[in-house]
Amino acid sequence: MVATLLHEIPLQGGDVTDGVVRVGDTVRRPAGTSTPAVHALLRHLEAAGFDGAPRVLGFDRFGREILTFLPGRTGLRVESASDEALAGLARLLRRFHDATAGFPLTMDGWEGGSNDDKAPEIIGHCDLTPENVIFHQDDPSTPYALIDFDLARPTTRLFDIVTTLRHWAPIADPVDRAPLLRAVDVGARLRLFCDAYGLRPRDRRRLLELARLRFHRSYTVMRTRAAAGGNWAKMWASGAGERIRRATAWLDVHEDELHARLV
């Protein structure tokens, strides 16, 4: 029998977790404190028939978690920055939220982070950056899967939507946006996403208020984590705090026009 040598291919793009590699048709990731909770969630999603997340395959001899590799593209491109892609992401997020129904909403075992004041309704991904959404290789305007659930936790639908729109509308000062999104009509993209998700009118009225609350709390959480060093410290040193402050100021200036689009 001829042994097959599987090479490790580093996977780049994440801000928080180092050491993520592809080995054949699998992904190997360092285990963390939230890994048991994340694995339980991924198994729940598999049982619920949700096909937009990796499957858990166990651990390798180095103690790394083994997940299925999901082929496709990540990041912002012309296609993934389109209105079609944004609406597709809203529908994908809605399916994910619905699929978490019945999963325990206790806060035990999760990484934690900023959150809504209202009681949890679902498990939120809470980190849907462009690097954590997989688009079809042959249909790059269609998102089909979510990855990197390290920051997932019990929350409200609206909080996870706000977190997603922070990156995808985006709710950010133009100076901090990706070039493809620098001149977009943010209000129109907020409305498009909420329509495609099917967000209730009462939640739309609260969306910008919650976005401001999230900015405030995320700033505090990130500053605290940065003090402990590691990748959080690198993110903070790269200007994460200043970007949050600029986003808050931009929202203050444009809140009325954004609210008018939403409601």
Side-chain angles (χ1 to χ4, degrees), residues 23 33 49 53 71-72 80 90 97 116 123 143 150-151 166-167 173 177 197-199 223 230-232 251:
V23 180
T33 56
S80 59
H97 287 168
D116 199 345
I123 302 296
D150 286 351
L151 298 182
R166 164 77 169 102
H167 304 287
D173 188 294
R177 299 177 197 168
Y197 182 94
L199 190 65
R223 183 175 59 185
N231 281 348
W232 290 103
L251 179 57

Side-chain angles (χ1 to χ4, degrees), residues 143-262:
Y144 82 94
L146 316 175
I147 59 173
D148 192 353
F149 288 79
D150 286 351
L151 298 182
R153 53 189 178 270
T155 188
T156 62
R157 290 176 182 268
L158 185 59
F159 186 87
D160 207 20
I161 288 170
V162 164
T163 300
T164 302
L165 288 171
R166 164 77 169 102
H167 304 287
W168 289 92
I171 306 176
D173 188 294
V175 74
D176 296 316
R177 299 177 197 168
L180 285 170
L181 297 177
R182 195 157 289 156
V184 296
D185 185 335
V186 175
R189 285 174 67 84
L190 291 175
R191 179 62 180 261
L192 176 66
F193 188 98
C194 292
D195 286 349
Y197 182 94
L199 190 65
R200 300 172 298 186
R202 68 185 184 189
D203 286 330
R204 296 181 193 221
R205 288 191 289 270
R206 186 172 174 257
L207 190 150
L208 299 177
E209 170 193 337
L210 185 56
R212 183 175 287 102
L213 179 66
R214 181 188 175 275
F215 283 142
H216 173 72
R217 292 180 175 174
S218 293
Y219 183 93
T220 301
V221 168
M222 290 193 70
R223 183 175 59 185
T224 300
R225 287 178 171 170
N231 281 348
W232 290 103
K234 294 178 184 177
M235 291 167 60
W236 191 259
S238 73
E242 288 85 351
R243 289 190 290 274
I244 293 173
R245 292 300 195 205
R246 284 193 293 270
T248 304
W250 181 86
L251 179 57
D252 287 341
V253 171
H254 296 279
E255 180 173 8
D256 288 345
E257 63 190 76
L258 298 177
H259 186 75
R261 290 295 190 96
L262 281 168

Side-chain angles (χ1 to χ4, degrees), residues 19-32:
V20 181
V21 299
R22 178 182 176 183
V23 180
D25 292 328
T26 69
V27 172
R28 313 295 172 98
R29 308 176 84 255

